Amino acid sequence: MAGRLRVFFPLLFGLCWCNSVERKIYIPLNKTAPCVRLMNATHQIGCQSSMNGDTGVIHVAEKEQDLKWVLEDGLTPPYMVVLDGELFTREVMEKLKMTSRVAGVAVSKRQPSKGFSPDSTCPNDGFGVYSNTYGPQYAHCNSTVWNPQGNGLSFEDFKFPIFLLQDENETRVIKQCYQEHNIPLSGSIPQYPLCAMQLFSHMHAVTDTVTCMRRNSLQTSFNINPEEVCDALTDWNIWSTLKPVNISDILHPDNKVIFVAARLDSRSFFWDVAPGAESTVSGFVTLLAAAEALRKVLNDQQTLLKNVMFVFFQGEAFDYIGSSRMVYDMENGKFPIGLENIDAFLELNQVALRKNSILWMHTDPVSQKNSSSVQEQVKTLVDALNNASQNSNVTLKEASSTQALPPSSFQRFLQARNIPGVVLTDHQSAFQNRYFHSIYDTGENIISNYPEGISPEEAQNLLNDTAQSLADVATVLARAVYQLAGDANLSTSTIQADAATVSKLLYGFLMKLNNSWFQSIIPAEKSIILDNDPPHYYIAVDNKINPSRVVQYVLANLTGAVFNFTQEGCQKRQNEDKDQYDYYWVQGSLDENSTTRTPFCVRTTTRITKALSPAFELREWGSTKYSTWTESRWKEIRARIFLVASHELEVITLVVGIAILVTSLLVTYFINSKADILFASTCEPGAVAY
């Protein structure tokens, strides 16, 4: 045992010493987000580093003239360019992409004042309803440029790593290191050691989805421990109905359903940083509030002639993953509600940035032109919305009858069937949102900052202008849906969305998922999905912090019914009623002045279905009909800064090290060969007594 300890302690000391040396040499950057590689049927986009990371001397560029040093004048390439947010444009990135003098880019989080959107000017182009055979005059956004800020950066392929610096303190450390070591004084060459940065983001997948999925198949077929190189983008669609639907059966075609939809996801240039305040949260929060308003007036009496379905689609930012999957399941009898059951389709898009309280109604000109019955049904929809907006704070206007639908989930349903529908937005044509699908579409984009010093409880109950505005939209939507569902026994004036609920929703989904309300309405074993940081809405591949699952429990709470069951009784009812209802045993609120909770049982019609593109179920990885987006796998994502010596000093160090090694080998050989002489004993062996 003592011998083992004598071996262990030197090893432990050496390990600790190595870690200590590493900490002295490197400063890790812990608050960063990488640009990763994504692939579709035809090509790859995104970024990656070399196998062992890429290293370069730091150069801070705060104005465009600073790039001249990187591109031409600097004598110590390659460079790691620290870009100011204002310089993160397509023109600048194209310049950096065309030179071999750049090892990577780090972007500060400073918000560009003129707007920024790395998506295209025509989001999801080629996967909507408009094509060469259906409204060719509207295909490829010929008639309307929806996202004029779009620069298409998200669809470029970069051969070097690009990281987002999320922490201002870390950005300051980088700039301080740069100022102390890298700035040339009086025009002279900066002296070594220089401040350098190393970025690790090597991606395993290359080329396109067809290639990476084929490699995955080979790995799983011939390898006991397969290492897949990419994953299909996937998550969950969430849906609920006012009247229960038997999920083990198919609804009869005569049973009509009003679809009310919103999207759950967003995206940006950087992995898993997609705040989506206006592009995503504004729509689904409004839909949640409308669902609550309808449930309150119905009070479980279920007097509607038509059912109402609330649906939240995932993956819509990547060529309509969620909506195309639901349409596919409906067409193939894998969903309890069919396309023929859809009586009308209402969709909430971006609705928070209304000018003069105006909300725009968008309809499809092609289906109305081709079918007089669809035209009449659309008119009924528009009339219902207009009636619902009477005596409200919302002014509804129709977009031009010759204008195409904006990018929306409804387009995927129109591809399959002529369905009357309306898409509600805060813009008539071009987006009001100047930060569409970017890291800057944060809560501050749609809501004023919460007062400093305010507690979380006060913040989530603070009634702000945005909450009231979205509650007004939810009220109009709920009243219109109620009218369309056919109940003439109740005046729609009694339907009112709760602005206090909207305030809580905005705080939770924009600022902090881990709040007291959300804690009270989810099962204890699912509490891991709550996080203290502002949530992001990038479609998850393997994401424990998943806001879409929080939406599931919120929807269940707002539209479900509470029963006085024990936990065992709640589980028993789940087994008995599983075809029509789901039951959740949720944590409940904290008891007053206590750390204990009073859990309760919620019965709900809320369900989840897979939001995975049909292309992967059909194994049609080169499909042009369905989304084929995959995300590359990687082993490590990290960034660090350190001081780097000159190339000459590195060569001298290497040569001296080799010389010392050779010398030590020669000395060791000489000593070993002469050991019998050098270590011979001069004493005669004496008698040994035992």
Side-chain angles (χ1 to χ4, degrees):
M1 181 67 178
R4 292 181 182 176
L5 289 175
R6 283 195 294 272
V7 174
F8 173 74
F9 280 122
L11 288 174
L12 180 62
F13 176 79
L15 180 62
C16 294
W17 183 83
C18 289
N19 287 338
S20 177
V21 170
E22 182 176 0
R23 287 197 297 269
K24 290 179 179 178
I25 295 174
Y26 300 105
I27 299 177
L29 304 174
N30 299 316
K31 290 287 187 178
T32 61
C35 158
V36 303
R37 175 167 291 164
L38 297 168
M39 291 142 293
N40 64 11
T42 56
H43 59 288
Q44 66 183 30
I45 62 173
C47 323
Q48 78 155 356
S49 73
S50 58
M51 181 76 72
N52 298 313
D54 289 322
T55 303
V57 174
I58 293 174
H59 185 77
V60 176
E62 296 180 336
K63 53 186 182 300
E64 195 159 354
Q65 294 90 319
D66 295 336
L67 295 172
K68 190 172 184 293
W69 181 266
V70 174
L71 301 173
E72 300 174 14
D73 299 341
L75 301 178
T76 56
Y79 288 98
M80 280 288 176
V81 185
V82 178
L83 272 185
D84 184 87
E86 292 280 2
L87 291 179
F88 190 48
T89 64
R90 187 183 183 92
E91 293 73 24
V92 168
M93 293 307 298
E94 287 291 341
K95 290 179 182 178
L96 299 180
K97 185 178 179 180
M98 298 301 292
T99 180
S100 60
R101 293 168 57 88
V102 173
V105 174
V107 182
S108 73
K109 206 175 180 181
R110 179 183 167 194
Q111 181 169 300
S113 57
K114 297 179 181 178
F116 173 80
S117 173
D119 206 332
S120 68
T121 57
C122 186
N124 288 348
D125 186 24
F127 287 84
V129 68
Y130 302 109
S131 64
N132 293 333
T133 57
Y134 187 98
Q137 67 272 32
Y138 306 118
H140 312 298
C141 299
N142 285 334
S143 61
T144 307
V145 177
W146 293 107
N147 185 30
Q149 293 284 350
N151 57 31
L153 262 182
S154 286
F155 299 96
E156 290 292 317
D157 184 38
F158 294 91
K159 304 302 182 184
F160 50 77
I162 304 176
F163 277 52
L164 172 67
L165 302 174
Q166 295 181 282
D167 191 317
E168 290 184 4
N169 291 327
E170 289 186 345
T171 304
R172 278 196 293 268
V173 169
I174 294 170
K175 290 184 176 180
Q176 181 180 350
C177 185
Y178 164 77
Q179 290 167 358
E180 292 177 355
H181 297 277
N182 294 11
I183 293 182
L185 299 176
S186 303
S188 62
I189 300 173
Q191 299 298 308
Y192 284 95
L194 298 176
C195 191
M197 182 184 293
Q198 190 172 26
L199 302 178
F200 297 84
S201 62
H202 181 68
M203 300 287 123
H204 293 177
V206 294
T207 310
D208 52 36
T209 291
V210 177
T211 302
C212 85
M213 293 302 292
R214 185 174 65 243
R215 290 179 179 175
N216 281 353
S217 296
L218 291 174
Q219 283 281 340
T220 54
S221 299
F222 300 105
N223 200 326
I224 298 176
N225 298 309
E227 290 189 10
E228 298 184 353
V229 296
C230 70
D231 300 282
L233 294 182
T234 181
D235 207 299
W236 300 95
N237 290 330
I238 298 164
W239 62 280
S240 177
T241 54
L242 284 181
K243 294 189 285 188
V245 171
N246 190 335
I247 62 170
S248 63
D249 198 3
I250 302 296
L251 204 62
H252 191 276
D254 291 340
N255 294 327
K256 297 302 180 182
V257 180
I258 309 295
F259 259 55
V260 196
R263 54 180 286 193
L264 281 177
D265 70 300
S266 185
R267 64 178 296 187
S268 78
F269 185 84
F270 299 99
W271 180 75
D272 203 26
V273 183
E278 159 70 344
S279 63
T280 304
V281 177
S282 68
F284 78 69
V285 161
T286 305
L287 180 52
L288 287 169
E292 181 193 36
L294 279 169
R295 169 54 67 194
K296 282 182 176 179
V297 296
L298 288 175
N299 196 26
D300 269 344
Q301 295 177 12
Q302 309 296 1
T303 55
L304 294 180
L305 301 178
K306 300 171 186 174
N307 206 345
V308 178
M309 176 171 165
F310 310 106
V311 58
F312 301 80
F313 294 116
Q314 261 288 359
E316 299 303 274
F318 290 92
D319 300 335
Y320 306 118
I321 292 173
S323 54
S324 62
R325 179 53 185 260
M326 183 167 283
V327 170
Y328 172 82
D329 287 344
M330 287 179 168
E331 290 177 322
N332 290 276
K334 298 180 179 181
F335 194 77
I337 298 172
L339 290 169
E340 64 277 5
N341 296 115
I342 302 177
D343 187 68
F345 199 109
L346 291 170
E347 180 174 351
L348 283 165
N349 211 304
Q350 303 179 87
V351 292
L353 299 177
R354 291 182 292 133
K355 287 186 176 181
N356 302 319
S357 299
I358 297 175
L359 195 66
W360 292 93
M361 298 180 288
H362 300 263
T363 59
D364 173 44
V366 179
S367 59
Q368 294 184 76
K369 182 179 179 180
N370 294 341
S371 171
S372 58
S373 64
V374 170
Q375 187 177 29
E376 292 175 6
Q377 290 172 297
V378 169
K379 186 178 183 305
T380 301
L381 271 176
V382 170
D383 289 343
L385 286 164
N386 280 324
N387 291 336
S389 68
Q390 298 299 316
N391 301 317
S392 75
N393 296 322
V394 179
T395 302
L396 283 174
K397 289 188 177 182
E398 288 187 71
S400 172
S401 59
T402 60
Q403 180 177 277
L405 285 168
S408 51
S409 305
F410 178 46
Q411 291 199 31
R412 293 299 300 192
F413 285 80
L414 270 180
Q415 278 188 338
R417 187 182 180 92
N418 278 344
I419 298 171
V422 173
V423 178
L424 298 172
T425 74
D426 56 19
H427 50 88
Q428 180 181 10
S429 52
F431 295 163
Q432 299 284 349
N433 185 4
R434 296 182 297 123
Y435 302 106
F436 182 74
H437 284 172
S438 80
I439 59 174
Y440 306 112
D441 190 10
T442 60
E444 290 78 10
N445 191 27
I446 65 171
I447 190 173
S448 58
N449 289 331
Y450 291 94
E452 289 189 14
I454 192 172
S455 70
E457 289 297 322
E458 292 171 330
Q460 65 178 325
N461 291 301
L462 181 66
L463 187 59
N464 52 59
D465 292 341
T466 303
Q468 186 60 63
S469 173
L470 295 183
D472 291 339
V473 176
T475 298
V476 171
L477 178 66
R479 291 176 178 179
V481 169
Y482 191 86
Q483 181 179 336
L484 291 166
D487 190 344
N489 297 323
L490 183 69
S491 169
T492 58
S493 62
T494 61
I495 300 176
Q496 186 71 45
D498 188 356
T501 297
V502 178
S503 293
K504 291 181 180 180
L505 291 170
L506 287 175
Y507 178 80
F509 288 115
L510 290 177
M511 308 306 295
K512 189 177 180 181
L513 285 174
N514 192 16
N515 61 73
S516 59
W517 183 37
F518 286 0
Q519 290 168 3
S520 69
I521 60 176
I522 69 168
E525 66 274 12
K526 299 294 184 181
S527 59
I528 192 174
I529 66 177
L530 300 180
D531 191 56
N532 289 321
D533 293 327
H536 293 284
Y537 298 92
Y538 178 81
I539 180 172
V541 172
D542 183 16
N543 190 356
K544 292 180 181 179
I545 310 301
N546 194 337
S548 62
R549 296 304 293 268
V550 182
V551 173
Q552 172 190 350
Y553 295 111
V554 171
L555 180 62
N557 177 265
L558 295 179
T559 61
V562 176
F563 284 84
N564 188 25
F565 295 147
T566 62
Q567 186 172 4
E568 293 74 18
C570 195
Q571 182 60 49
K572 182 181 178 182
R573 291 300 297 268
Q574 167 69 35
N575 297 331
E576 294 173 353
D577 297 347
K578 61 183 179 180
D579 286 342
Q580 294 202 353
Y581 294 103
D582 214 347
Y583 289 79
Y584 301 142
W585 182 253
V586 301
Q587 294 187 101
S589 303
L590 285 170
D591 297 333
E592 189 174 355
N593 300 323
S594 174
T595 57
T596 61
R597 295 178 179 275
T598 304
F600 56 91
C601 184
V602 175
R603 186 187 74 180
T604 178
T605 60
T606 302
R607 307 282 184 170
I608 60 173
T609 57
K610 200 72 173 175
L612 174 67
S613 171
F616 297 98
E617 181 161 316
L618 298 169
R619 298 177 69 85
E620 295 177 359
W621 304 320
S623 173
T624 57
K625 180 180 180 181
Y626 297 115
S627 171
T628 54
W629 286 108
T630 52
E631 178 184 273
S632 174
R633 290 193 178 186
W634 57 82
K635 284 191 175 177
E636 64 174 348
I637 298 288
R638 60 191 176 102
R640 59 189 184 182
I641 62 173
F642 57 97
L643 296 181
V644 63
S646 67
H647 181 66
E648 291 78 8
L649 181 58
E650 289 176 341
V651 172
I652 291 172
T653 303
L654 177 63
V655 171
V656 170
I658 293 173
I660 292 173
L661 175 63
V662 171
T663 302
S664 64
L665 289 174
L666 291 174
V667 170
T668 303
Y669 174 76
F670 173 77
I671 292 174
N672 187 58
S673 63
K674 302 297 182 179
D676 55 337
I677 300 173
L678 295 174
F679 303 107
S681 175
T682 58
C683 300
E684 292 294 332
V688 179
Y690 293 94

